[in-house]
Coordinates of all heavy atoms in Angstrom, one line a residue:
A124 N 33.6 75.0 63.7 CA 34.9 74.4 64.2 C 36.1 75.3 63.7 O 37.0 75.5 64.5 CB 35.1 73.0 63.7
A125 N 36.0 75.9 62.5 CA 37.0 76.7 62.0 C 37.0 78.1 62.7 O 38.1 78.7 62.7 CB 36.9 76.8 60.5
G126 N 35.9 78.4 63.2 CA 35.7 79.8 63.7 C 35.9 80.0 65.2 O 36.0 81.1 65.7
V127 N 36.0 78.9 65.9 CA 36.2 79.1 67.4 C 37.6 79.6 67.6 O 38.5 79.3 66.9 CB 35.9 77.7 68.2 CG1 34.4 77.3 68.1 CG2 36.9 76.7 67.7
P128 N 37.7 80.4 68.6 CA 39.0 81.1 68.9 C 40.0 80.2 69.6 O 41.0 80.8 70.2 CB 38.6 82.3 69.8 CG 37.4 81.9 70.5 CD 36.7 81.0 69.5
F129 N 39.8 78.9 69.6 CA 40.7 78.1 70.3 C 40.7 76.7 69.5 O 39.8 76.4 68.8 CB 40.4 77.8 71.7 CG 38.9 77.3 71.9 CD1 38.6 76.0 71.9 CD2 37.9 78.2 72.1 CE1 37.3 75.5 72.0 CE2 36.6 77.8 72.3 CZ 36.3 76.4 72.2
P130 N 41.7 75.9 69.6 CA 41.7 74.6 69.0 C 40.8 73.6 69.7 O 40.8 73.6 71.0 CB 43.1 74.1 69.0 CG 43.8 74.9 70.2 CD 43.1 76.2 70.3
L131 N 39.9 73.0 69.0 CA 39.0 72.0 69.7 C 39.8 70.9 70.4 O 39.3 70.2 71.3 CB 38.0 71.4 68.7 CG 37.0 72.3 68.0 CD1 36.1 71.6 67.0 CD2 36.2 73.0 69.1
S132 N 41.0 70.7 69.9 CA 41.9 69.7 70.6 C 42.1 69.9 72.1 O 42.5 69.0 72.8 CB 43.2 69.6 69.9 OG 43.9 70.8 69.9
Q133 N 41.8 71.2 72.5 CA 42.0 71.5 73.9 C 41.0 70.7 74.8 O 41.2 70.6 76.0 CB 41.9 73.0 74.2 CG 40.5 73.5 74.4 CD 40.5 75.0 74.7 OE1 41.5 75.7 74.5 NE2 39.4 75.5 75.3
W134 N 40.0 70.2 74.2 CA 39.0 69.4 74.9 C 39.3 67.9 74.9 O 38.6 67.1 75.6 CB 37.6 69.6 74.4 CG 37.0 70.9 74.6 CD1 37.4 71.9 75.5 CD2 36.0 71.6 73.9 NE1 36.6 73.0 75.4 CE2 35.8 72.9 74.4 CE3 35.2 71.2 72.8 CZ2 34.8 73.7 73.9 CZ3 34.2 72.0 72.3 CH2 34.0 73.3 72.9
M135 N 40.3 67.5 74.2 CA 40.7 66.1 74.1 C 41.1 65.4 75.5 O 40.7 64.3 75.7 CB 41.8 65.9 73.1 CG 41.5 66.2 71.6 SD 40.1 65.1 71.1 CE 41.0 63.6 70.7
P136 N 41.7 66.2 76.3 CA 41.9 65.5 77.7 C 40.7 65.2 78.5 O 40.8 64.4 79.4 CB 42.8 66.6 78.5 CG 43.4 67.4 77.3 CD 42.3 67.5 76.2
L137 N 39.5 65.7 78.1 CA 38.3 65.3 78.7 C 37.9 63.9 78.4 O 36.9 63.4 79.0 CB 37.1 66.3 78.3 CG 37.4 67.8 78.7 CD1 36.2 68.6 78.0 CD2 37.4 68.0 80.1
G138 N 38.6 63.3 77.5 CA 38.1 62.0 77.0 C 37.0 62.0 76.0 O 36.4 63.1 75.8
K139 N 36.6 60.9 75.5 CA 35.6 60.9 74.5 C 34.3 61.4 75.0 O 33.8 62.3 74.3 CB 35.4 59.4 74.0 CG 34.4 59.2 72.9 CD 34.4 57.7 72.5 CE 33.4 57.4 71.5 NZ 33.4 56.0 71.1
S140 N 33.8 60.9 76.0 CA 32.4 61.4 76.5 C 32.4 62.8 76.9 O 31.5 63.6 76.7 CB 31.9 60.4 77.6 OG 32.8 60.4 78.7
G141 N 33.6 63.2 77.5 CA 33.7 64.6 78.0 C 33.7 65.5 76.8 O 33.1 66.6 76.8
F142 N 34.6 65.2 75.8 CA 34.7 66.0 74.6 C 33.3 66.2 73.9 O 32.9 67.3 73.6 CB 35.7 65.4 73.6 CG 35.8 66.2 72.3 CD1 36.8 67.0 72.2 CD2 34.9 66.0 71.3 CE1 37.0 67.7 71.0 CE2 35.1 66.7 70.1 CZ 36.1 67.6 70.0
I143 N 32.6 65.1 73.8 CA 31.3 65.0 73.1 C 30.3 65.9 73.9 O 29.6 66.8 73.3 CB 30.7 63.6 72.9 CG1 31.6 62.9 71.9 CG2 29.3 63.7 72.4 CD1 31.4 61.4 71.8
A144 N 30.3 65.8 75.1 CA 29.3 66.6 76.0 C 29.7 68.0 75.9 O 28.8 68.9 75.7 CB 29.4 66.1 77.4
R145 N 31.0 68.4 76.0 CA 31.4 69.9 75.9 C 31.0 70.4 74.5 O 30.5 71.5 74.5 CB 32.8 70.0 76.2 CG 33.4 71.4 76.1 CD 33.0 72.3 77.2 NE 33.3 71.9 78.5 CZ 34.5 72.1 79.2 NH1 35.4 72.9 78.6 NH2 34.7 71.7 80.3
A146 N 31.4 69.7 73.5 CA 31.2 70.2 72.1 C 29.7 70.4 71.9 O 29.2 71.4 71.3 CB 31.8 69.3 71.1
A147 N 28.9 69.4 72.2 CA 27.4 69.4 71.9 C 26.8 70.5 72.7 O 25.8 71.1 72.2 CB 26.9 68.0 72.3
A148 N 27.3 70.8 73.9 CA 26.6 71.8 74.8 C 27.2 73.2 74.4 O 26.5 74.3 74.6 CB 26.9 71.6 76.2
S149 N 28.4 73.3 73.8 CA 29.0 74.6 73.6 C 28.9 75.2 72.2 O 29.1 76.4 72.0 CB 30.5 74.6 74.0 OG 30.6 74.1 75.4
L150 N 28.9 74.3 71.2 CA 29.0 74.7 69.9 C 27.7 74.6 69.0 O 27.1 73.6 69.1 CB 30.1 73.9 69.1 CG 31.4 73.8 69.8 CD1 32.3 72.9 69.1 CD2 32.1 75.3 69.7
P151 N 27.3 75.7 68.4 CA 26.1 75.7 67.5 C 26.3 74.7 66.4 O 27.5 74.5 65.9 CB 26.0 77.1 67.0 CG 27.2 77.8 67.3 CD 28.0 77.0 68.3
F152 N 25.3 74.0 66.0 CA 25.3 73.0 64.9 C 26.0 71.8 65.3 O 26.3 70.9 64.4 CB 25.8 73.6 63.6 CG 25.0 74.8 63.1 CD1 25.7 76.0 63.1 CD2 23.7 74.7 62.8 CE1 24.9 77.2 62.7 CE2 23.0 75.8 62.3 CZ 23.6 77.1 62.3
F153 N 26.4 71.6 66.5 CA 27.0 70.3 67.0 C 26.0 69.7 68.0 O 25.8 70.2 69.0 CB 28.3 70.6 67.8 CG 29.5 70.7 66.9 CD1 29.7 71.8 66.0 CD2 30.5 69.8 66.9 CE1 30.8 71.9 65.3 CE2 31.6 69.8 66.1 CZ 31.8 70.9 65.3
G154 N 25.6 68.5 67.6 CA 24.9 67.6 68.5 C 25.9 66.5 68.9 O 27.0 66.5 68.5
P155 N 25.4 65.6 69.6 CA 26.3 64.5 70.0 C 26.9 63.7 68.8 O 28.1 63.3 68.9 CB 25.4 63.5 70.8 CG 24.3 64.4 71.4 CD 24.1 65.4 70.3
F156 N 26.1 63.6 67.8 CA 26.7 62.8 66.6 C 27.8 63.6 65.9 O 28.8 63.0 65.6 CB 25.5 62.6 65.6 CG 25.9 61.7 64.4 CD1 26.1 60.4 64.6 CD2 26.0 62.3 63.2 CE1 26.4 59.6 63.5 CE2 26.3 61.4 62.1 CZ 26.5 60.1 62.3
R157 N 27.6 64.9 65.6 CA 28.7 65.7 65.0 C 29.9 65.8 65.9 O 31.0 65.8 65.5 CB 28.1 67.1 64.6 CG 28.7 67.7 63.5 CD 28.6 67.0 62.2 NE 27.3 67.1 61.6 CZ 26.8 66.1 60.9 NH1 27.4 65.1 60.6 NH2 25.6 66.2 60.4
A158 N 29.6 65.9 67.2 CA 30.7 66.0 68.2 C 31.5 64.7 68.2 O 32.8 64.8 68.3 CB 30.1 66.3 69.6
L159 N 30.9 63.6 68.1 CA 31.6 62.3 68.0 C 32.5 62.4 66.7 O 33.7 61.9 66.8 CB 30.6 61.1 68.0 CG 31.3 59.8 67.6 CD1 32.3 59.4 68.7 CD2 30.2 58.7 67.6
Q160 N 32.0 62.8 65.7 CA 32.8 62.8 64.4 C 34.0 63.7 64.6 O 35.1 63.4 64.1 CB 31.9 63.3 63.2 CG 30.9 62.3 62.8 CD 30.0 62.7 61.7 OE1 29.7 63.9 61.6 NE2 29.6 61.8 60.8
A161 N 33.8 64.9 65.2 CA 34.9 65.8 65.5 C 36.0 65.1 66.4 O 37.2 65.2 66.1 CB 34.5 67.1 66.1
Y162 N 35.5 64.4 67.4 CA 36.4 63.7 68.2 C 37.2 62.6 67.5 O 38.4 62.5 67.6 CB 35.6 63.0 69.4 CG 36.5 62.3 70.4 CD1 37.2 62.9 71.4 CD2 36.6 60.9 70.2 CE1 38.0 62.2 72.2 CE2 37.5 60.1 71.0 CZ 38.2 60.8 72.0 OH 39.0 60.0 72.9
Q163 N 36.5 61.9 66.7 CA 37.2 60.8 65.9 C 38.2 61.4 64.9 O 39.3 60.9 64.8 CB 36.1 60.0 65.1 CG 35.2 59.1 65.8 CD 34.1 58.5 65.0 OE1 33.8 59.0 63.9 NE2 33.5 57.5 65.5
I164 N 37.9 62.5 64.3 CA 38.8 63.2 63.4 C 40.1 63.7 64.2 O 41.2 63.6 63.7 CB 38.1 64.4 62.6 CG1 37.2 63.8 61.6 CG2 39.2 65.2 61.9 CD1 36.2 64.8 61.0
L165 N 39.8 64.3 65.3 CA 40.9 64.8 66.1 C 41.8 63.7 66.7 O 43.0 63.8 66.8 CB 40.5 65.7 67.2 CG 39.9 67.1 66.8 CD1 39.2 67.8 68.0 CD2 41.0 67.9 66.3
S166 N 41.2 62.6 67.0 CA 42.0 61.5 67.6 C 42.6 60.5 66.6 O 43.7 59.9 66.9 CB 41.2 60.7 68.6 OG 40.1 60.1 67.9
S167 N 42.1 60.5 65.3 CA 42.7 59.5 64.4 C 42.9 60.1 63.0 O 43.5 59.5 62.1 CB 41.7 58.3 64.3 OG 40.6 58.7 63.6
G168 N 42.4 61.3 62.8 CA 42.6 61.9 61.4 C 41.4 61.6 60.5 O 41.4 62.1 59.3
S169 N 40.4 60.8 60.9 CA 39.3 60.4 60.1 C 38.2 60.1 61.0 O 38.3 60.2 62.2 CB 39.7 59.2 59.2 OG 38.7 59.0 58.3
C170 N 37.0 59.8 60.4 CA 35.9 59.4 61.1 C 35.1 58.3 60.3 O 35.4 58.1 59.2 CB 34.9 60.5 61.5 SG 34.1 61.3 60.0
E171 N 34.2 57.6 61.0 CA 33.5 56.5 60.4 C 32.8 57.0 59.0 O 32.9 56.3 58.0 CB 32.5 55.9 61.3 CG 31.7 54.8 60.7 CD 30.6 54.2 61.7 OE1 30.5 54.8 62.8 OE2 29.8 53.4 61.2
A172 N 32.1 58.2 59.1 CA 31.4 58.6 57.9 C 32.4 58.8 56.7 O 32.1 58.5 55.6 CB 30.7 59.9 58.2
L173 N 33.6 59.4 57.0 CA 34.6 59.6 55.9 C 35.0 58.3 55.4 O 35.2 58.1 54.1 CB 35.7 60.5 56.4 CG 36.8 60.8 55.4 CD1 36.2 61.4 54.1 CD2 37.9 61.7 56.0
A174 N 35.3 57.3 56.3 CA 35.9 56.1 55.8 C 34.8 55.3 55.0 O 35.1 54.7 53.9 CB 36.1 55.2 57.1
K175 N 33.6 55.4 55.3 CA 32.5 54.8 54.5 C 32.4 55.5 53.1 O 32.2 54.9 52.1 CB 31.2 54.8 55.2 CG 31.1 53.8 56.4 CD 29.7 53.8 57.0 CE 29.6 52.6 57.9 NZ 28.3 52.3 58.4
F176 N 32.4 56.9 53.2 CA 32.4 57.6 51.9 C 33.5 57.2 50.9 O 33.3 56.9 49.8 CB 32.5 59.1 52.2 CG 32.7 60.0 51.0 CD1 31.5 60.3 50.2 CD2 33.9 60.4 50.5 CE1 31.7 61.1 49.0 CE2 34.0 61.1 49.3 CZ 32.9 61.5 48.6
E177 N 34.8 57.1 51.5 CA 35.9 56.8 50.7 C 35.8 55.4 50.1 O 36.4 55.1 49.0 CB 37.2 57.0 51.5 CG 37.5 58.4 51.7 CD 38.7 58.7 52.7 OE1 39.0 57.8 53.5 OE2 39.2 59.8 52.6
S178 N 35.2 54.5 50.8 CA 35.0 53.1 50.3 C 33.7 52.9 49.5 O 33.5 51.7 49.1 CB 35.1 52.1 51.4 OG 34.0 52.3 52.3
G179 N 32.9 53.9 49.4 CA 31.7 53.8 48.6 C 30.5 53.2 49.3 O 29.6 52.9 48.7
R180 N 30.6 53.0 50.6 CA 29.5 52.5 51.4 C 28.7 53.6 51.9 O 29.1 54.7 52.2 CB 30.1 51.6 52.6 CG 30.9 50.5 52.1 CD 31.4 49.7 53.3 NE 32.4 50.6 54.0 CZ 32.6 50.5 55.3 NH1 32.0 49.7 56.1 NH2 33.6 51.3 55.8
P181 N 27.3 53.3 52.0 CA 26.4 54.3 52.6 C 26.8 54.6 54.1 O 27.2 53.7 54.8 CB 25.1 53.6 52.5 CG 25.2 52.6 51.5 CD 26.6 52.1 51.6
P182 N 26.6 55.9 54.5 CA 26.9 56.2 55.9 C 25.9 55.7 56.9 O 24.7 55.3 56.5 CB 27.0 57.7 55.9 CG 26.0 58.0 54.8 CD 26.1 57.0 53.8

Side-chain angles (χ1 to χ4, degrees):
V127 293
F129 57 87
L131 293 181
S132 59
Q133 81 177 25
W134 292 339
M135 292 301 283
L137 299 173
K139 181 177 174 181
S140 60
F142 180 96
I143 292 169
R145 176 72 60 89
S149 306
L150 302 173
F152 304 111
F153 272 74
F156 186 70
R157 204 65 70 214
L159 171 62
Q160 289 177 325
Y162 178 84
Q163 290 172 342
I164 290 168
L165 288 170
S166 61
S167 71
S169 189
C170 67
E171 181 184 356
L173 180 57
K175 285 185 171 186
F176 172 83
E177 290 173 339
S178 67
R180 295 178 294 147

